[in-house]
């Protein structure tokens, strides 16, 4: 497969804009599509600000010229017209199979046959997404999961997910592209939750259970995981960062797939009922209102 140079990103939200700038930092020309030009530009503005922050903190190694070059390569758009010639599309829009499938059907009309189409879905089966979206064997073979982690401009891991009909060539090209954009791929066979979320949700559930049993406080469980396991943040702080409503939703999906070992804990449901979603809402497992 030829080297990937032109990239299409769908969605300029939390994940899409970060993935887009990661590609631009590697020298790719990137078209970032949103539902309106205002949202596309807002994604560009947000990532410009974040990129400067990460560079000043030394978390991304480039200089002012590198930042300007990457931002210049990232083109916001509200149309698929510019996607005709891209080598890969990475979709990062709402976690809804119908919305995603609608977009893939549009891509099917516009993109060249060899284009790799990737989804950043956290929880939807890659095999199901492919069959809901494409008729042709070639499109299904070129469809793959590429699951990035937040903040995607910093986090190195990408789970590269092989759907039932994803070809070995597509897996190899998607993994090579991860390396090109300074990420590290791991190969995963399609399953609910993939690898990291299955491990993470098992850990989170056990942390909540320890708290519910009165074994340890939320603060001390976070401290124990940081100092005893070397985790950069504890499980409760991390759940507050990702949003407890989203956590509960993913927990329910894992429970449906794997049964009792992922049954969401009662106090997680209470947090969500109370609107204590985490940092975003000012309260979660921890209180951020001060
Ligand atoms: N947030 C995370 O930590 C995380 C991590 C890994 C994967 N994901 C996955 O990434 C995807 C996006 O998540 P997010 O957190 O960036 O969501 P987000 O809500 O921040 O961004 C989604 C964006 O998609 C845009 N969008 C919706 N429909 C569109 C369309 N038809 N065309 C173009 N843009 C459209 C929305 O306007 C919005 O800006 C989801 O599938 C999610 O499961 C999220």
């Amino acid at each position: 497969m030829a080297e990937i140079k032109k990239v299409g990103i769908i969605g300029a939200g939390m994940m899409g804009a970060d993935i887009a700038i990661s590609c631009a930092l590697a020298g790719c020309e990137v078209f970032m599509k949103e539902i309106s030009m205002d949202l596309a530009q807002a994604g560009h503005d947000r990532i410009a600000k974040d990129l400067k922050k990460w560079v000043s903190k030394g978390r991304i190694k480039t200089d002012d010229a590198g930042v300007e070059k990457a931002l210049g390569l990232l083109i916001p758009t509200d149309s698929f017209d510019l996607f005709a010639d891209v080598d890969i599309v990475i979709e990062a829009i709402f976690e809804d199979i119908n919305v995603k499938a609608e977009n893939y059907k549009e891509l099917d009309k516009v993109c060249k046959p060899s284009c790799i189409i990737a989804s950043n879905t956290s929880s939807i089966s890659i095999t199901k997404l492919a069959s809901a979206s494409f008729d042709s064997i070639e499109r299904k073979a070129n469809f793959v999961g590429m699951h990035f982690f937040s903040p995607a401009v910093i986090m190195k891991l990408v789970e590269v997910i092989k759907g039932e009909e994803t070809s070995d060539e597509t897996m190899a090209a998607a993994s090579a592209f991860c390396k090109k954009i300074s990420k590290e791929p791991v190969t995963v066979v399609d399953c609910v939750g993939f690898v990291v979320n299955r491990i993470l949700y098992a850990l989170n559930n056990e942390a909540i259970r320890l708290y519910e049993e009165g074994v340890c406080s939320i603060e001390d469980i976070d401290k124990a995981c940081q100092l005893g396991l070397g985790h950069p943040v504890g499980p409760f702080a991390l759940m507050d960062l990702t949003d407890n409503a989203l956590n509960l939703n993913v927990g329910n999906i894992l429970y449906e797939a794997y049964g009792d070992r992922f049954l969401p804990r009662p106090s997680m449901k209470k947090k969500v009922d109370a609107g204590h979603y985490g940092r975003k809402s000012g309260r979660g497992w921890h209180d951020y209102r001060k």
Side-chain angles (χ1 to χ4, degrees):
M1 228 173 235
E3 195 193 339
I4 293 171
K5 292 187 179 145
K6 281 194 183 187
V7 179
I9 300 287
I10 323 180
M14 183 164 155
M15 297 303 290
D18 273 47
I19 298 167
I21 201 69
S22 303
C23 300
L25 281 164
C28 297
E29 190 176 8
V30 185
F31 306 110
M32 182 170 70
K33 195 243 173 211
E34 257 291 347
I35 41 187
S36 70
M37 205 52 210
D38 283 352
L39 281 173
Q41 192 56 52
H44 193 281
D45 294 348
R46 195 269 295 165
I47 201 62
K49 211 166 121 209
D50 280 5
L51 182 57
K52 285 169 192 158
K53 179 185 80 186
W54 292 122
V55 170
S56 72
K57 286 185 170 178
R59 299 287 301 272
I60 294 176
K61 303 270 176 269
T62 187
D63 52 16
D64 288 352
V67 167
E68 288 316 314
K69 186 176 170 219
L71 291 171
L73 284 167
L74 178 52
I75 296 143
T77 177
D78 61 357
S79 122
F80 281 129
D81 292 350
L82 297 166
F83 280 45
D85 201 25
V86 298
D87 305 305
I88 189 169
V89 176
I90 303 174
E91 165 276 309
I93 64 172
F94 301 141
E95 189 72 341
D96 178 313
I97 188 165
N98 298 317
V99 179
K100 288 184 192 285
E102 259 171 47
N103 275 265
Y104 299 145
K105 285 177 189 164
E106 289 302 308
L107 292 177
D108 191 18
K109 291 182 214 153
V110 175
C111 295
K112 57 189 180 188
S114 62
C115 179
I116 293 175
I117 299 178
S119 178
N120 182 47
T121 178
S122 321
S123 61
I124 305 171
S125 155
I126 295 304
T127 307
K128 247 194 223 170
L129 267 178
S131 54
S133 313
F134 304 117
D135 294 324
S136 93
I137 290 172
E138 188 175 16
R139 283 279 188 228
K140 288 180 184 173
N142 290 347
F143 185 69
V144 66
M146 288 178 75
H147 186 217
F148 290 75
F149 291 80
S150 177
V153 67
I154 297 291
M155 297 291 276
K156 289 285 171 211
L157 182 68
V158 182
E159 292 177 320
V160 180
I161 297 133
K162 187 172 177 15
E164 191 63 22
E165 300 189 67
T166 310
S167 70
D168 291 343
E169 291 74 21
T170 300
M171 288 298 290
S175 298
F177 184 62
C178 290
K179 297 224 171 209
K180 175 173 170 139
I181 62 170
S182 301
K183 303 291 178 202
E184 279 301 324
V186 292
T187 300
V188 178
V189 173
D190 193 18
C191 68
V192 177
F194 314 133
V195 170
V196 172
N197 277 340
R198 276 175 66 176
I199 295 171
L200 179 64
Y201 278 77
L203 177 95
N204 288 349
N205 254 9
E206 198 55 29
I208 301 171
R209 193 178 281 115
L210 283 163
Y211 157 69
E212 286 172 348
E213 288 171 1
V215 172
C216 196
S217 69
I218 286 173
E219 288 72 20
D220 276 0
I221 294 170
D222 273 355
K223 193 197 233 182
C225 289
Q226 285 182 276
L227 302 183
L229 296 174
H231 292 184
V233 283
F236 292 101
L238 185 59
M239 285 187 270
D240 282 350
L241 203 61
T242 47
D243 185 300
N244 288 308
L246 179 77
N247 293 330
L248 179 59
N249 188 29
V250 178
N252 280 325
I253 292 168
L254 290 169
Y255 170 59
E256 207 177 295
Y258 302 109
D260 279 354
R261 71 185 202 263
F262 285 109
L263 178 67
R265 302 299 309 161
S267 47
M268 171 59 105
K269 289 182 185 157
K270 276 192 205 157
K271 286 281 164 211
V272 175
D273 287 347
H276 296 174
Y277 302 125
R279 280 187 175 270
K280 200 162 76 175
S281 64
R283 284 174 80 182
W285 299 101
H286 297 279
D287 192 339
Y288 304 92
R289 291 170 300 172
K290 288 153 246 154

